[in-house]
Amino acid sequence: MKIPPVKGTRDFYPQEMAIHNWIVDGWKRASLRNGFEEYDGPIFEYLQMYQIKSGDEIVEQLFSFKDRGDRDLAIRPEITPTLARMVNQRINTLPKPIKWFSVPRLCRAERPQKGRLREFFQWNIDIIGEDSVLADAEVIFTTVDYLREVGLTPNDIKVKISSRKFLSAVLKKIGISEEKLNSLYGLLDKKTKLPAEAFSEALIQQVGERISEQVISFMGSQSVTSVENIVKPDAGGELDIAIKELEDCASRLGQMGISDYCVFDPGIVRGLAYYTGIVFEVHDIQGDLRAICGGGRFDNLLHDFGGPKITATGMGMGDCVLEILLSEKGLLNQKISARSLDYFVLPVADNLLDDTIKLVAQLRTLGFKTIFSYKSGSLSKQLKTASERNAKYCIIIGDEFKAGDIVLKDMSTGNQKTVPLNEFLANPGKF
RNA sequence: GUGAGAGUAGCUCAGUUGGAUAGAGCAUCGGAUUGUGGUUCCGAGGGUCGAGGGUUCGAAUCCCUUCUCUCACCCCA
């Protein structure tokens, strides 16, 4: 009986695995060179961990189960709660700021679609315990540092940056009450998805005609300062502070040399209520994929999980959308070869198999990727196999071997030379 | 959860008004080729035509049911 793969999962055959590893290795390199340390946690936690900051709808999209002790558990749909738990447990002994990263495998029971599966990997970086906007800038830089390394240019992607503090200050100044903010965020987040008329209709329904005009005008702002045409900040007030933060962030990003990747966009809201400061998303420039990643500052992360009031800022990037984008941009093919070999050792006759195996073992011990053929087919056939396997060199064990010599063939040029085996083994790189 | 589209070999697809043993390219394996690879030529294996039921002398093709996948919506931590 044939059992199909589970909906929304992927099988990583060697070629896909090579691509996947290349992506994950890049994430890890970028994290490490930006000063982040790797951590990980269990792939399941108490179900309650994911109920703290989320509603029932999100709980429905969890893979949850009971263990034999009747405990309610869930496979992790995100790693942030685990991070909060781990940091809280050692909050007094960890040196600040805490800069950690992880590449967890996550599961969400959502309906799969383009760029979204039920099992995926997500690169997470977080800086905990640093209030300065510099930390937000560093998170954004690390993100761009990676995306730039894999070959994405400012013509391919943009980091769209805004601030929850800024947004809330503007909206309150326009005359929207604090209680209405959260439901309004939901609408503003959808602006790019809705036709302009539908958006403005929905907006009028929420805040009335006069205010909605101002909101629409604000949502069209191209720069942070242009908001002053709509509302005037009071010196030292919430809006004033938020504007300074955004400007400060932009100036840091300039110092880091990535201004050409970054743009202010008041339409970046982010779904969840818990963001409190700078928020950002990276989008492909055509805008036909969902966000490549998203992040921002959240003040209450540790506190929500029973810890102190320490702020955090971070970013999460899934592997699905990224891979689609890289593939569309042609950035996957050449760089990744699933198989490559240093040596392919081939005996021309069955009675040379013993010596072949000895040599193969010696080369492997020296650290070279080396294989041989199980079948002692014709030389021509074995060379063909070696060529298919992308071997850099072939070592032919033939008549010369009686005199202690091997034939070393460079597969890229076709040149070959006869070399004494003991000299070769003493310094294989020399040949 | 809602809506639309699609299911034929490992992959990409053909398959006439419903007609006999369901085809091609790529991939895999073997041979031409037992001391020289990438090319070429020849051959082989591989299918419950997603599944179940119905109409018919006869179904990959028409009808019903169901499953799966894709895309969009909800949601997006």
Side-chain angles (χ1 to χ4, degrees):
Chain A
M1 183 160 136
K2 232 182 206 172
I3 299 173
V6 175
K7 180 204 284 281
T9 63
R10 286 170 290 178
D11 294 328
F12 293 93
Y13 287 83
Q15 200 173 350
E16 287 90 54
M17 196 67 206
I19 289 169
H20 177 71
N21 283 337
W22 176 77
I23 287 173
V24 171
D25 289 348
W27 283 346
K28 292 187 176 182
R29 271 198 313 276
S31 303
L32 292 169
R33 69 173 172 256
N34 281 275
F36 291 82
E37 295 177 285
E38 185 164 9
Y39 72 97
D40 201 350
I43 61 162
F44 51 86
E45 295 269 6
Y46 286 109
L47 176 61
Q48 201 192 355
M49 281 275 277
Y50 306 110
Q51 294 171 316
I52 286 177
K53 60 176 195 178
S54 327
D56 289 341
E57 176 133 15
I58 278 176
V59 172
E60 278 173 23
Q61 297 188 335
L62 288 171
F63 285 102
S64 59
F65 58 99
K66 276 186 192 290
D67 73 2
R68 285 164 51 159
D70 214 30
R71 285 174 276 260
D72 285 306
L73 305 178
I75 300 176
R76 61 186 180 188
E78 56 170 331
I79 200 167
T80 311
T82 302
L83 170 68
R85 181 174 61 70
M86 286 169 64
V87 169
N88 276 337
Q89 275 168 12
R90 299 199 181 172
I91 189 66
N92 293 322
T93 59
L94 292 168
K96 317 290 180 306
I98 296 159
K99 288 176 66 178
W100 284 4
F101 82 96
S102 193
V103 184
R105 188 171 198 143
L106 306 176
C107 292
R108 298 174 184 175
E110 298 171 298
R111 192 161 230 173
Q113 53 187 283
K114 191 175 186 184
R116 189 165 77 179
L117 299 171
R118 288 184 158 191
E119 186 195 41
F120 58 98
F121 294 81
Q122 191 183 64
W123 177 34
N124 281 254
I125 58 176
D126 289 280
I127 300 178
I128 299 171
E130 176 53 60
D131 292 346
S132 145
V133 172
L134 182 52
D136 300 276
E138 202 179 10
V139 166
I140 293 172
F141 176 79
T142 304
T143 305
V144 172
D145 186 31
Y146 168 76
L147 295 169
R148 189 168 56 182
E149 185 194 60
V150 298
L152 293 166
T153 71
N155 295 324
D156 301 317
I157 52 166
K158 276 285 180 280
V159 185
K160 300 181 173 180
I161 301 167
S162 185
S163 152
R164 266 298 173 81
K165 196 185 286 178
F166 175 71
L167 185 60
S168 107
V170 169
L171 294 176
K172 279 190 277 187
K173 271 232 178 264
I174 290 175
I176 292 158
S177 64
E178 183 109 35
E179 312 83 69
K180 281 191 176 171
L181 283 180
N182 268 342
S183 69
L184 188 54
Y185 288 155
L187 178 60
L188 297 185
D189 198 37
K190 285 199 185 73
K191 180 172 183 289
T192 48
K193 276 192 159 182
L194 292 172
E197 281 174 28
F199 175 73
S200 103
E201 254 172 57
L203 193 58
I204 289 168
Q205 209 156 25
Q206 280 208 15
V207 300
E209 196 154 345
R210 216 186 57 214
I211 290 179
S212 81
E213 274 173 33
Q214 285 187 284
V215 173
I216 287 172
S217 154
F218 162 69
M219 292 295 282
S221 342
Q222 302 286 316
S223 72
V224 180
T225 44
S226 70
V227 75
E228 291 173 19
N229 301 329
I230 301 162
V231 288
K232 291 270 179 282
D234 309 313
E238 194 186 9
L239 180 55
D240 190 42
I241 292 170
I243 290 174
K244 288 213 167 76
E245 277 182 6
L246 276 168
E247 287 177 336
D248 194 12
C249 183
S251 119
R252 293 297 187 200
L253 295 170
Q255 289 160 4
M256 293 169 173
I258 57 166
S259 294
D260 48 353
Y261 279 94
C262 300
V263 62
F264 166 72
D265 186 334
I268 297 303
V269 182
R270 305 286 297 148
L272 268 290
Y274 64 70
Y275 286 101
T276 51
I278 301 276
V279 287
F280 71 96
E281 289 178 358
V282 178
H283 289 260
D284 67 296
I285 231 150
Q286 287 90 352
D288 40 36
L289 298 175
R290 57 183 65 240
I292 297 157
C293 73
R297 180 169 288 275
F298 30 102
D299 284 337
N300 304 317
L301 175 68
L302 297 193
H303 188 65
D304 289 344
F305 289 89
K309 280 216 162 192
I310 293 178
T311 79
T313 183
M315 184 281 301
M317 179 187 298
D319 65 328
C320 302
V321 175
L322 176 69
E323 198 180 316
I324 292 170
L325 180 66
L326 290 174
S327 160
E328 284 179 356
K329 296 285 177 186
L331 295 170
L332 286 182
N333 310 338
Q334 300 126 352
K335 294 180 185 170
I336 302 134
S337 67
R339 30 191 203 184
S340 71
L341 278 178
D342 296 313
Y343 296 107
F344 189 103
V345 185
L346 51 98
V348 300
D350 286 342
N351 63 353
L352 291 165
L353 186 62
D354 296 354
D355 294 303
T356 298
I357 289 163
K358 280 181 206 162
L359 176 56
V360 167
Q362 283 170 307
L363 285 167
R364 287 174 176 174
T365 306
L366 289 168
F368 295 104
K369 274 191 257 179
T370 309
I371 63 167
F372 61 98
S373 172
Y374 279 92
K375 275 170 284 185
S376 67
S378 69
L379 184 58
S380 135
K381 186 137 289 180
Q382 294 201 63
L383 281 168
K384 191 171 179 170
T385 308
S387 170
E388 278 162 4
R389 296 298 299 268
N390 250 332
K392 288 195 201 77
Y393 294 96
C394 276
I395 295 174
I396 300 166
I397 308 295
D399 297 337
E400 306 85 350
F401 197 75
K402 285 177 198 135
D405 294 337
I406 59 166
V407 175
L408 185 67
K409 183 181 179 73
D410 183 327
M411 295 300 279
S412 59
T413 63
N415 297 336
Q416 63 185 51
K417 51 187 160 185
T418 305
V419 180
L421 177 62
N422 52 5
E423 277 182 40
F424 172 73
L425 280 174
N427 189 1
K430 200 175 110 189
F431 299 93

